[in-house]
Amino acid sequence: MDPVDVRDRLKELMVSELNLEGKKPSDIDDAAPLFGEGLGLDSLDALQLAMSVEEKFGVRVPEGDEARSIFASVNALVDHIVRAKAAA
């Protein structure tokens, strides 16, 4: 999978699934934290995003501590998706 395509699709998915009102995919900083002071997502958003990524991209998203690094930023999530698809 092309990382640029994955990044674009992921950002569109985030805006639509997480109801990021007033945001466009291009507004999301690839390197900014998804939680806290970055995009400001919470634990419910994480669950919704994990389910959406699993459904849309067909990759497993682990739970717990293992998920922290994957959900660090858009870049980290894209890397996880690309690696998981390559390994499949």
Side-chain angles (χ1 to χ4, degrees):
M1 286 189 104
D2 176 38
V4 173
D5 180 51
V6 171
R7 181 172 285 107
D8 292 343
R9 289 174 51 201
L10 177 62
K11 287 181 171 186
E12 289 172 12
L13 179 77
M14 290 170 69
V15 169
S16 66
E17 293 293 321
L18 302 178
N19 300 316
L20 299 178
E21 295 182 22
K23 288 218 182 275
K24 299 179 294 205
S26 60
D27 294 336
I28 301 172
D29 182 346
D30 295 344
L34 297 180
F35 299 91
E37 298 200 16
L39 195 55
L41 301 183
D42 62 24
S43 59
L44 292 177
D45 293 324
L47 181 59
Q48 178 66 38
L49 183 56
M51 292 182 343
S52 297
V53 164
E54 288 179 351
E55 182 179 310
K56 178 88 171 182
F57 294 99
V59 299
R60 183 182 167 280
V61 178
E63 297 177 19
D65 289 341
E66 195 178 349
R68 288 187 190 276
S69 62
I70 292 169
F71 284 112
S73 65
V74 169
N75 286 336
L77 196 46
V78 168
D79 288 345
H80 172 73
I81 293 167
V82 170
R83 278 195 320 270
K85 292 301 273 185

